[in-house]
């Protein structure tokens, strides 16, 4: 199946996602920017070839033969590759490397890459794809994870006896004993559907092989370091001969956290042809590449006393992983490990099984692994509050973990603003006077959560820093910051710039950030797990304080005073005891350079040893956790079943808001994304494995007219280990949105929504079931 209609589908994406106020111009074949926004799709190199991918039309089949002769002979075609040219297996986690850039013996989902062509233009490449002949032996596909789990189900991966990607069974405390003494038990089944990231910018990669033997890859990735490692491994190159550069990225949300086929294909094609090669996915290809939210089937039981004390949670979860592993090992742990908070439990047991199916691979999406179980647990807590006749916010208050404690599975909690978050949304929504008193069809619902500020455990085991920063102070008065961190629109480079300016007393225009270039920058592990502000921020402060010590030491010697009396502020250095002693920081840098030679310092951050002393105990462990509470206000039309989310009140404990505008933006974006997953989105395939709507016309996401009212209420708990007390704000604010909407629907019309998405048809079915039950009770009376 050709991945793109040769006649195109609208304007080039490069024209769609450029930042307003910037433009790119081509100078000597390389993209130069008059502003700061140069995306991968903006880059054009002399003699550049365009590559396209041939994808499988079958969900499960064995590849019998591939004939590329006619494609290779087409005028304008410079190279054709298949799986035999890139046989090395890869995956972002070293323990589950089960992918190849192009399918080898089998295809495992519709849309899996099978061959790639490099040609003088995209049209020629697409024509060549149609000339490739592939003979397939069709195999039985499995689209339902429960079907794939059957003992007689044929393995999707021949190296495994069953279609189990990962199973985790862990128990903390005596779950059975806690249930035995409980006054109330809630026992229900919940399901969460698949959703995708829908970033504005599609995946794009461009590679060139230099005369010096260095292979340079430009990619719209979130993980430059891991991509460098993967390219070196699969192409069997020394790592130092692979350079990966991340230009500006038009959104990621976790969807660019894996190494991908297109990155490896353009690198291989560039090596074969000696020419720069570029591949840009169209929107349909992005949907089939996926790595979005795992669908989950969840059976949860919660035990409590009649006073509302939570005793135990027993969770059994089946995760639909799609065709490959991706981050799935971690996802499986996250689906249970992060249920140990934000409420105190005496016992927790979770049994999570990730299953391979013949669907596009699932992976990390904003709030990775924890959004789905949080939905189930928060709805179950609301059911518990109803059973106990308790206010749902009061139930959560009674169960809230304190600050500076440890969860029963060994997660260390530092600062904790959950109670302040609950109070903030309670007041903003006028919960006490409005909940349960609004007209029929209008309701309020609450939910809360916690999430990690970076992972304790690096993706591949090592003792090296998780984040590094290098500073160079120039005698012009400029400080250049080298960071491997990936800015995907969340403001990572802005935060680094602000921290350096604050620490060194510089104006913002005296700080320049160079990011995400593996040749120039120290290693950073990437933009995932809400790690950047906490980890990169701490590394930046570490580097700044080393540079600051050189500046103050040099000035103290120059003025014959004490280092502690030197102040760096607002572009100047002065002696606090003799304020007339005053120099510009440009002059101060020159004095320090004369004393210490070229001024450069390095800083780093690594987490302390965290997590429980058991297998998997470090997964879900974090140096700090954020806390969030939402109140949703919804309107339900009982004739059409349509739910309208009128308002979301979002309170988020981010430690300290280093940039309140960025924090509020992340809170707004998270909340609206959660509301979209609840009410609009559904990433699924039909009985043939074809995506039900692989375009932004058929896969609905909110426009400006669909976004609910948003009140972002920043709560600051000042974390003792975060940079200036900061914690994450990019993912945690999403988690409560979905259950808060479900709980608001119950307040509005009295029906429980336990299965996503909340379509009008599903709402009408629940309302009809409610009416039938009511009529049955009346008949019995």
């Amino acid at each position: 199946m050709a991945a793109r209609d040769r006649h195109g589908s609208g304007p080039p994406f490069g024209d769609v996602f450029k930042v307003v106020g910037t433009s790119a111009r081509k100078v000597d074949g390389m993209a130069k920017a008059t502003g700061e926004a140069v995306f991968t799709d903006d880059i054009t190199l002399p003699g550049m070839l365009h590559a396209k991918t041939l994808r499988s039309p079958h969900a499960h089949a064995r590849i019998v033969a591939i004939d590329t002769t006619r494609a290779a002979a087409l005028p304008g075609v410079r190279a054709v590759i298949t799986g035999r040219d890139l046989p090395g297996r890869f995956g972002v986690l070293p323990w589950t490397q089960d992918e190849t850039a192009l399918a080898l013996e089998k295809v495992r989902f519709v849309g899996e890459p099978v061959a790639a062509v490099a040609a003088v233009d995209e049209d020629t490449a697409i024509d060549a794809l149609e000339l490739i002949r592939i003979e397939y032996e069709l195999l039985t596909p499995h689209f339902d994870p429960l079907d794939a789990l059957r003992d007689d189900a044929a393995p999707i991966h021949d190296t495994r006896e069953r279609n189990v990607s990962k199973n985790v069974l862990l128990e903390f405390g005596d779950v059975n004993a806690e249930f035995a003494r409980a006054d109330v038990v809630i026992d229900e089944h919940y399901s969460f559907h698949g959703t995708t990231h829908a970033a504005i910018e599609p995946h794009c990669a461009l590679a060139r092989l230099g005369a010096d033997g260095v292979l340079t890859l430009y990619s719209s990735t979130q993980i430059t370091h891991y991509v460098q490692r993967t390219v070196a491994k699969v192409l069997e190159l020394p790592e130092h001969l692979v350079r990966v550069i991340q230009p500006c990225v038009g959104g990621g949300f976790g969807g660019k956290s894996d190494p991908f086929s297109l990155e490896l294909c353009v690198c291989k094609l560039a090596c074969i042809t000696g020419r720069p090669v570029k591949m840009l996915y169209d929107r349909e290809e992005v949907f089939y590449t996926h790595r979005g939210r795992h669908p989950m089937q969840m059976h949860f039981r919660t035990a409590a006393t009649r006073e509302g004390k939570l005793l135990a949670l027993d969770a059994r979860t089946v995760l639909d992983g799609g065709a490959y592993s991706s981050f799935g090992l971690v996802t499986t742990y996250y689906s249970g490990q992060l249920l140990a908070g934000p409420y105190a439990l005496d016992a927790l047991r979770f049994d999570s099984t990730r299953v391979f199916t013949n669907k596009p691979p699932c992976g990390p999406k904003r709030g990775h692994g924890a959004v789905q179980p949080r939905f189930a647990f928060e709805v179950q807590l609301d059911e518990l509050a109803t059973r106990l006749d308790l206010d749902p916010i009061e139930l959560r208050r009674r169960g809230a973990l304190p600050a500076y404690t440890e969860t029963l599975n060994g997660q260390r909690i530092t600062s904790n603003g959950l109670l302040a978050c609950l109070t903030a949304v309670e007041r903003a929504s006028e919960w006490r006077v409005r909940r349960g008193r609004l007209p029929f069809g209008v309701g309020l619902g609450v939910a809360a959560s916690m999430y990690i500020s970076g992972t304790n455990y690096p993706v591949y085991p090592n003792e090296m820093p998780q984040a590094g920063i290098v500073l160079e102070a120039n005698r012009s008065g400029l400080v250049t910051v080298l960071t491997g961190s990936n800015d995907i629109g969340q403001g990572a480079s802005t935060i680094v710039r602000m921290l350096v300016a604050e620490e060194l007393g510089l104006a913002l225009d005296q700080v320049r950030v160079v990011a995400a270039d593996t040749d120039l920058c120290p290693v950073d592990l990437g933009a995932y797990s809400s790690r950047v502000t906490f980890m990169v921020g701490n590394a930046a402060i570490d580097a700044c304080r080393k540079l600051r010590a050189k500046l103050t030491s040099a000035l103290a010697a120059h003025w014959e005073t004490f280092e502690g009396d030197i102040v760096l502020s607002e572009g100047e250095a002065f002696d606090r005891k003799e304020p007339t002693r005053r120099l510009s920081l440009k002059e101060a840098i020159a004095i320090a350079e004369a004393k210490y030679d070229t001024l450069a310092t390095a800083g780093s951050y690594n987490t302390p040893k965290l997590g429980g002393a058991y297998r998997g105990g470090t997964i879900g462990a974090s140096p700090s956790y954020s806390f969030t509470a939402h109140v949703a206000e919804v309107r339900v039309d009982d004739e059409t079943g349509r739910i309208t989310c009128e308002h979301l009140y979002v309170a988020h404990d981010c430690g300290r808001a280093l940039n309140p505008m960025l924090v509020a933006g992340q809170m707004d974006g998270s909340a609206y994304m959660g509301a979209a997953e609840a009410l609009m989105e559904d990433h699924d395939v039909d009985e043939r494995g074809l995506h039900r709507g692989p375009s932004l016309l058929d896969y609905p996401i909110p426009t400006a007219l669909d976004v609910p009212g948003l009140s972002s209420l920043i709560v600051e708990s000042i974390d003792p280990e975060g940079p200036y007390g900061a914690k994450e704000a990019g993912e945690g604010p999403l988690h409560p949105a979905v259950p808060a909407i479900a709980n608001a629907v119950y307040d509005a019309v009295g029906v429980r929504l336990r299965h996503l998405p909340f379509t009008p048809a599903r709402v009408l079915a629940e309302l009809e079931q409610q009416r039938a039950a009511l009529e049955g009770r009346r008949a019995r009376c």
Side-chain angles (χ1 to χ4, degrees):
M1 128 179 131
R4 181 178 180 182
D5 185 337
R6 64 174 295 177
H7 302 294
S9 55
F13 283 107
D15 292 335
V16 175
F17 58 67
K18 284 180 182 174
V19 175
V20 175
T22 68
S23 60
R25 55 191 176 90
K26 305 297 188 289
V27 180
D28 297 329
M30 291 294 291
K32 304 292 183 182
T34 56
E36 293 185 353
V38 178
F39 296 85
T40 313
D41 191 31
D42 291 319
I43 301 172
T44 301
L45 300 180
M48 187 176 75
L49 302 175
H50 294 265
K52 297 301 290 184
T53 299
L54 183 67
R55 296 176 178 273
S56 168
H58 305 297
H60 198 195
R62 206 170 295 281
I63 299 172
V64 177
I66 302 179
D67 184 357
T68 63
T69 307
R70 294 172 63 212
L74 185 70
V77 171
R78 296 293 180 263
V80 183
I81 58 174
T82 66
R84 292 181 180 178
D85 298 294
L86 289 167
R89 298 194 180 273
F90 69 92
V92 69
L93 302 179
W95 307 278
T96 56
Q97 297 190 338
D98 54 9
E99 296 187 62
T100 53
L102 299 168
L104 281 167
E105 299 89 1
K106 289 174 73 173
V107 291
R108 295 176 174 87
F109 65 98
V110 171
E112 180 163 7
V114 180
V117 173
V120 293
D121 55 44
E122 279 196 345
D123 283 352
T124 303
I126 292 171
D127 288 340
L129 296 183
E130 296 174 358
L131 298 177
I132 297 174
R133 294 290 174 260
I134 303 179
E135 182 183 347
Y136 291 100
E137 175 193 340
L138 299 186
L139 303 171
T140 301
H142 301 293
F143 303 122
D144 184 334
L146 299 180
D147 175 57
L149 275 176
R150 290 196 337 257
D151 289 339
D152 61 346
I156 293 170
H157 290 269
D158 296 340
T159 55
R160 295 175 181 257
E161 294 182 1
R162 301 184 65 215
N163 289 316
V164 174
S165 167
K166 179 67 179 178
N167 173 254
V168 178
L169 172 59
L170 289 172
E171 181 170 351
F172 309 94
D174 191 335
V175 172
N176 292 339
E178 296 299 332
F179 272 91
R181 74 182 184 96
D183 299 312
V184 182
V185 172
I186 306 294
D187 186 334
E188 290 291 351
H189 182 79
Y190 307 85
S191 62
F192 205 107
H193 60 321
T195 63
T196 198
H197 314 85
I200 295 175
E201 180 198 21
H203 300 265
C204 188
L206 186 157
R208 60 169 179 159
L209 182 64
D212 57 359
V214 175
L215 179 64
T216 300
L217 171 67
Y218 303 86
S219 179
S220 57
T221 180
Q222 298 179 224
I223 51 164
T224 45
H225 175 61
Y226 294 135
V227 170
Q228 179 193 33
R229 287 170 56 88
T230 299
V231 170
K233 176 182 184 294
V234 174
L235 271 68
E236 298 180 330
L237 295 171
E239 216 170 297
H240 70 276
L241 292 181
V242 177
R243 179 183 188 184
V244 179
I245 301 171
Q246 178 220 41
C248 292
V249 173
F253 313 114
K256 297 168 183 174
S257 296
D258 281 82
F260 288 104
S261 168
L262 83 166
E263 293 158 331
L264 296 163
C265 286
V266 295
C267 286
K268 185 66 175 181
L269 290 166
C271 290
I272 291 171
T273 63
R275 303 265 291 274
V277 180
K278 177 177 180 178
M279 186 182 294
L280 169 67
Y281 280 175
D282 65 21
R283 186 59 59 178
E284 182 180 14
E285 290 180 288
V286 174
F287 273 97
Y288 281 107
T289 301
H290 195 38
R291 313 304 162 117
R293 187 89 69 209
H294 284 69
M296 292 191 191
Q297 300 286 333
M298 298 165 283
H299 183 194
F300 276 36
R301 295 191 305 141
T302 300
T305 67
R306 61 177 56 89
E307 293 79 24
K309 174 178 167 48
L310 300 177
L311 298 176
L313 172 62
D314 187 9
R316 286 190 288 116
T317 303
V318 175
L319 299 80
D320 184 346
Y324 291 101
S325 291
S326 181
F327 278 86
L329 181 151
V330 173
T331 316
T332 311
Y333 274 101
Y334 278 6
S335 69
Q337 289 284 63
L338 295 177
L339 287 168
Y343 313 111
L345 294 166
D346 291 338
L348 167 67
R349 177 169 59 214
F350 70 93
D351 184 352
S352 295
T353 303
R354 186 179 188 268
V355 183
F356 289 119
T357 59
N358 293 112
K359 296 181 184 179
C362 296
K365 184 183 175 185
R366 198 175 199 171
H368 176 204
V371 172
Q372 306 93 315
R374 182 58 53 192
F375 158 68
F377 192 31
E378 290 293 320
V379 171
Q380 191 146 97
L381 287 180
D382 222 59
E383 297 181 67
L384 178 63
T386 300
R387 183 82 64 87
L388 294 172
D389 196 25
L390 274 176
D391 181 292
I393 290 182
E394 178 58 27
L395 176 69
R396 288 167 172 81
R397 279 200 180 103
R398 293 183 186 184
L401 284 166
Y404 304 101
T405 189
E406 187 175 282
T407 65
L408 79 167
N409 62 341
Q411 295 167 353
R412 186 198 66 170
I413 305 296
T414 52
S415 67
N416 181 346
L418 177 61
L419 293 177
C421 289
L422 289 168
T423 298
V425 295
E426 181 183 52
R427 289 174 178 169
S429 65
E430 299 180 316
W431 173 272
R432 293 190 180 185
V433 298
R434 298 179 68 222
R435 179 185 170 272
R437 298 177 178 87
L438 295 168
F440 179 80
V442 183
L444 298 176
V446 68
S449 68
M450 75 175 198
Y451 198 60
I452 57 178
S453 295
T455 58
N456 168 64
Y457 201 64
V459 165
Y460 62 96
N462 68 86
E463 298 298 322
M464 294 175 284
Q466 291 207 38
I469 291 278
V470 172
L471 301 181
E472 186 262 327
N474 190 288
R475 64 187 67 172
S476 69
L478 175 73
V479 172
T480 300
V481 187
L482 303 180
T483 170
S485 65
N486 296 95
D487 196 321
I488 55 173
Q490 83 280 38
S493 292
T494 299
I495 290 297
V496 169
R497 194 178 190 186
M498 290 176 62
L499 287 169
V500 172
E502 179 70 20
E503 280 287 317
L504 298 178
L506 297 165
L508 284 174
D509 64 6
Q510 290 179 277
V511 181
R512 196 95 77 244
V513 177
V514 177
D517 182 329
T518 59
D519 263 18
L520 302 180
C521 304
V523 167
D524 183 81
L525 300 187
Y528 62 89
S529 297
S530 286
R531 58 179 298 282
V532 175
T533 292
F534 198 99
M535 296 188 176
V536 179
N538 273 321
I541 290 173
D542 182 37
C544 283
R545 291 182 179 171
K546 293 172 183 175
L547 179 57
R548 184 187 184 94
K550 290 186 176 183
L551 292 171
T552 56
S553 172
L555 286 173
H558 181 71
W559 283 331
E560 297 182 347
T561 187
F562 296 104
E563 290 183 35
D565 292 334
I566 305 298
V567 177
L568 309 180
S569 178
E570 298 184 357
E572 292 187 320
F574 61 89
D575 185 338
R576 74 173 76 241
K577 291 182 178 176
E578 295 287 342
T580 56
R581 291 177 176 170
R582 187 176 296 266
L583 294 171
S584 70
L585 276 173
K586 176 183 175 181
E587 294 171 301
I589 289 170
I591 291 169
E593 186 176 346
K595 179 177 176 64
Y596 291 108
D597 297 326
T598 300
L599 289 178
T601 59
S604 65
Y605 175 80
N606 212 348
T607 63
K609 298 296 183 184
L610 298 168
Y614 55 91
R615 184 178 179 84
T618 59
I619 303 178
S622 175
S624 185
Y625 295 87
S626 69
F627 295 84
T628 311
H630 285 197
V631 165
E633 181 174 342
V634 304
R635 185 177 300 274
V636 183
D637 187 326
D638 65 334
E639 292 186 353
T640 65
R642 176 169 177 163
I643 302 170
T644 302
C645 185
E646 301 282 359
H647 206 98
L648 281 169
Y649 301 89
V650 183
H652 181 70
D653 164 27
C654 64
R656 187 194 293 277
L658 300 180
N659 184 319
M661 184 175 70
L662 284 180
V663 171
Q666 290 298 304
M667 292 167 67
D668 288 349
S670 292
Y672 114 85
M673 185 175 276
E677 291 190 64
L679 302 176
M680 302 181 74
E681 300 181 45
D682 191 8
H683 187 285
D684 201 3
V685 301
D686 65 16
E687 67 281 358
R688 297 165 295 173
L690 294 172
H691 196 287
R692 295 186 184 276
S695 75
L696 294 183
L697 290 174
D698 299 306
Y699 184 89
I701 58 175
T703 68
L705 298 177
D706 302 306
V707 177
L710 295 165
S711 296
S712 292
L713 312 166
I714 296 174
V715 172
E716 296 185 306
S717 63
I718 316 301
D719 193 82
E721 296 183 24
Y724 297 158
K727 301 191 287 191
E728 78 88 30
E731 298 184 74
L734 187 151
H735 294 72
V738 180
I741 290 171
N743 294 336
V745 169
Y746 180 79
D747 185 47
V749 293
V751 298
R752 287 285 178 202
L753 296 180
R754 302 185 182 96
H755 306 284
L756 284 150
F758 302 151
T759 61
R762 181 160 282 151
V763 174
L764 288 175
E766 293 293 339
L767 287 169
E768 182 57 36
Q769 193 172 5
Q770 180 194 59
R771 292 188 191 104
L774 181 60
E775 289 173 4
R777 287 195 295 271
R778 286 173 178 167
R780 287 193 294 272
C781 291

